[in-house]
Amino acid sequence: MQITSKFTIAVHIITAIEYFGESETVTSNFLAGSVGANPVIVRGVMSSLKEAGIIMISQGKSGITLAKDLSDITFYDVYRAVDPIDEEGLFHFHENPNMNCPVGRNIHLAMDDKLREIQTGMEDQMKKITMADVAAEIHKAVK
């Protein structure tokens, strides 16, 4: 399974809000121009970020702002906000393994724990990376 582009769009949005927030009124159209995506897509991602308490959206002079410090926003927080997974997890298992086949009958037994371990490992790594890390790289590259 692939994490959707909503994740990278959300990271871009958060980083742009931080980068331009002091000098520009950040709007969804401004962010869409930075991301290079349709404003409707950007607004959908922004809605998820707002619902997760990561950004604040207000009309007028203040525009879109961060609701949290960048060091308090992890990749995992962003991932959960925009690419929520269901109880099944990241990996969607094929629907009908043949129970009359020894492999089909036992494939879940052989794989379920391993797939859960992979997902947990990925999520644990995501919890270690903050939006402050990304913003620092942007500021370093711009200088």
Side-chain angles (χ1 to χ4, degrees), residues 20-60:
F20 293 107
E22 296 294 316
S23 61
E24 304 275 342
T25 300
V26 179
T27 65
S28 59
N29 285 335
F30 179 88
L31 291 170
S34 178
V35 172
N38 185 304
V40 172
I41 293 169
V42 170
R43 283 192 287 276
V45 172
M46 287 173 35
S47 176
S48 297
L49 292 173
K50 179 182 177 190
E51 189 174 312
I54 294 172
I55 65 171
M56 295 181 291
I57 303 171
S58 62
Q59 301 298 322

Side-chain angles (χ1 to χ4, degrees), residues 1-10 45 79 82-84 90:
M1 166 144 192
Q2 189 176 51
I3 295 173
T4 70
S5 63
K6 288 179 187 177
F7 174 78
T8 55
I9 290 172
V45 172
Y79 159 71
V82 300
D83 269 328
L90 279 176

Side-chain angles (χ1 to χ4, degrees), residues 37 67 71 111 129:
S71 61
M111 290 186 65
I129 303 168

Side-chain angles (χ1 to χ4, degrees), residues 3-142:
I3 295 173
T4 70
S5 63
K6 288 179 187 177
F7 174 78
T8 55
I9 290 172
V11 169
H12 188 133
I13 286 169
I14 294 164
T15 306
I17 292 168
E18 184 276 334
Y19 188 85
F20 293 107
E22 296 294 316
S23 61
E24 304 275 342
T25 300
V26 179
T27 65
S28 59
N29 285 335
F30 179 88
L31 291 170
S34 178
V35 172
N38 185 304
V40 172
I41 293 169
V42 170
R43 283 192 287 276
V45 172
M46 287 173 35
S47 176
S48 297
L49 292 173
K50 179 182 177 190
E51 189 174 312
I54 294 172
I55 65 171
M56 295 181 291
I57 303 171
S58 62
Q59 301 298 322
K61 200 172 187 179
S62 61
I64 301 157
T65 57
L66 297 174
K68 296 180 175 183
D69 190 88
L70 288 180
S71 61
D72 295 328
I73 306 168
T74 66
F75 270 23
Y76 181 75
D77 297 327
V78 176
Y79 159 71
R80 293 298 295 183
V82 300
D83 269 328
I85 55 171
D86 59 20
E87 305 80 44
E88 186 175 347
L90 279 176
F91 298 95
H92 179 76
F93 223 97
H94 49 288
E95 303 290 329
N96 299 305
N98 183 345
M99 291 298 126
N100 294 321
C101 169
V103 174
R105 185 172 49 251
N106 294 293
I107 195 69
H108 271 284
L109 175 69
M111 290 186 65
D112 286 350
D113 288 345
K114 291 167 185 58
L115 296 177
R116 244 185 318 278
E117 186 177 324
I118 291 167
Q119 180 171 333
T120 299
M122 181 199 78
E123 290 175 352
D124 288 346
Q125 284 301 115
M126 293 180 98
K127 291 173 184 176
K128 295 177 185 177
I129 303 168
T130 69
M131 288 304 307
D133 300 325
V134 176
E137 289 290 325
I138 295 294
H139 286 281
K140 183 177 158 184
V142 171

